[in-house]
Amino acid sequence: MSVLEISHRSAEFTSLIKETTSLISEILEIPENYRVLWMAGGASAQFSAIPLNLITSKDDTVDYIVTGSWSKLAAKEAEKYTNVNYVIPPTTSYTSVPSEEEMTLTPGAKYVYYCDNETVVGVEYPNVIKSASTLVCDMSSNFLSRPVDVSKFGIIYAGVQKNLAPAGLAVLIIREDLISTERLHQVPRIMDFKLIDGANSCLNTPNVFSIYCTNLVLKHIIKAGGLKHYAEISGQKSKTLYDIIDNSGGFYSCKIEKDSRSRMNVTFNLSSPEKEAEFVKGATERSLIGLKGHRSVGGVRASIYNAVSLSDVQKLAEYMNIFKTEHN
């Protein structure tokens, strides 16, 4: 029988989910005062689950640093449950992460929330932000691509679909003191951190296949050399593409400031939407797929998550050089 057929309360699956938790704890060196929860609904469900579990008073204020589509969605969802302070002024164009001087943080904020890597525009934080309040971070799209000091955060969560497993599951790493029954709002059972933790993430049937795949990928990460290995490779991959863009004499252009450029999502433009469409068409003919930019911003986007090899990126780089030569 496969993992899809056995009971999620069986000894076999209990052993699997415990091992998976142990593996991710080893890879990230998670401190003992943190818990790992396997959450239903992917990352988007955590947009609601986090304020529902952490807000204890109608007077609470939370800080949201909006640097792209995903943090913007998370902030709008949090507005349903609490007072949200937008740390930087709203904008329609995201080209960088804010400096400390640009941020207006709330003294005594219940938590400070940010998205470590924004996939749509290709913006990524180079370092952990500094705050006296509890840090909550969505790391969905760059999770396990570099070492992380978990102790600096109250909560780290990530949808597994970028670097771990099929969609529909999120891993949530939470400091134990934040798991409480003292909450302003009633929390749905499937989002209740206290209940889920008490049930070892098996309050209901979890996404067993994604947990199984996560287990296999975590073992592969360890075998490959851990997070330092993936940090090195992701840096090489993104540098390969950004060097071509920056040295193209304007044929390719990247709107993102250099110190905020994503290692996971390299976004760039050509001289016109028509030229971009021609570039994507030619890439597809070479079996380089998925390069069309997000519909909200257009352009070209190369998503180079952990599973994309350096040789794959080099094939794209070769095509970029050929296309430039033929059309410049």
Side-chain angles (χ1 to χ4, degrees):
M1 296 176 69
S2 77
V3 70
L4 297 174
E5 299 167 291
I6 62 174
S7 168
H8 70 286
R9 301 194 190 283
S10 66
E12 292 82 3
F13 186 76
T14 298
S15 176
L16 174 69
I17 197 168
K18 284 184 177 179
E19 181 185 48
T20 307
T21 298
S22 177
L23 288 168
I24 203 165
S25 298
E26 175 187 346
I27 290 169
L28 283 167
E29 300 180 357
I30 298 175
E32 291 186 2
N33 63 322
Y34 283 74
R35 302 288 293 169
V36 177
L37 309 183
W38 301 99
M39 303 291 294
S44 291
Q46 311 320 309
F47 295 171
S48 299
I50 287 166
L52 282 170
N53 279 274
L54 298 191
I55 297 305
T56 58
S57 166
K58 61 182 178 60
D59 297 321
D60 285 345
T61 295
V62 294
D63 284 345
Y64 275 70
I65 309 172
V66 175
T67 52
S69 300
W70 297 113
S71 48
K72 183 178 181 180
L73 282 170
K76 291 298 292 184
E77 191 68 16
E79 285 181 353
K80 297 177 182 178
Y81 311 111
T82 190
N83 307 299
V84 174
N85 170 49
Y86 286 81
V87 171
I88 55 175
T91 180
T92 57
S93 178
Y94 302 99
T95 59
S96 67
V97 299
S99 65
E100 291 184 44
E101 294 73 26
E102 294 174 303
M103 296 192 295
T104 306
L105 297 171
T106 305
K110 196 69 175 182
Y111 61 83
V112 177
Y113 179 105
Y114 72 103
C115 179
D116 208 28
N117 182 75
E118 290 280 1
T119 60
V120 173
V121 293
V123 167
E124 182 179 27
Y125 285 83
N127 302 296
V128 178
I129 70 165
K130 295 179 181 179
S131 170
S133 300
T134 296
L135 280 183
V136 175
C137 188
D138 175 0
M139 292 189 183
S140 293
S141 53
N142 63 356
F143 191 57
L144 301 183
S145 68
R146 60 185 177 186
V148 174
D149 184 351
V150 174
S151 68
K152 292 183 177 180
F153 298 87
I155 294 176
I156 292 171
Y157 75 91
V160 299
Q161 69 274 14
K162 304 301 185 185
N163 281 333
L164 274 176
L169 176 73
V171 56
L172 187 140
I173 302 163
I174 180 169
R175 204 173 62 229
E176 286 179 342
D177 62 284
L178 297 176
I179 301 175
S180 172
T181 56
E182 183 187 354
R183 296 169 295 211
L184 176 62
H185 304 285
Q186 292 187 345
V187 182
R189 291 179 74 252
I190 202 167
M191 293 182 175
D192 191 318
F193 296 162
K194 183 74 172 178
L195 290 179
I196 293 168
D197 179 52
N200 294 316
S201 297
C202 287
L203 185 67
N204 65 322
T205 306
N207 190 329
V208 295
F209 186 66
S210 281
I211 291 172
Y212 170 71
C213 292
T214 295
N215 182 283
L216 296 179
V217 172
L218 291 173
K219 289 176 179 176
H220 175 78
I221 288 173
I222 292 172
K223 186 177 180 180
L227 299 187
K228 289 183 179 179
H229 165 77
Y230 282 98
E232 180 181 352
I233 294 298
S234 63
Q236 291 175 7
K237 290 188 297 184
S238 57
K239 184 177 186 301
T240 297
L241 299 183
Y242 286 126
D243 281 352
I244 290 176
I245 294 167
D246 293 339
N247 296 320
S248 68
F251 186 83
Y252 301 111
S253 62
C254 177
K255 298 176 182 177
I256 308 305
E257 294 182 15
K258 289 186 177 182
D259 62 354
S260 300
R261 287 177 173 179
S262 171
R263 298 164 303 120
M264 300 288 107
N265 309 99
V266 177
T267 58
F268 58 96
N269 293 88
L270 284 80
S271 59
S272 67
E274 293 75 21
K275 189 71 72 177
E276 291 164 354
E278 187 178 356
F279 176 90
V280 171
K281 181 176 182 294
T284 302
E285 291 170 354
R286 291 169 172 260
S287 298
L288 299 167
I289 62 174
L291 288 167
K292 184 178 180 180
H294 192 272
R295 62 185 179 277
S296 65
V297 295
V300 181
R301 176 176 59 169
S303 293
I304 48 176
Y305 301 115
N306 283 359
V308 178
S309 68
L310 180 57
S311 62
D312 292 332
V313 173
Q314 289 168 341
K315 290 175 185 176
L316 173 57
E318 179 183 0
Y319 170 64
M320 290 173 70
N321 283 327
I322 292 171
F323 190 87
K324 175 179 175 290
T325 300
E326 293 178 348
H327 296 81
N328 201 4

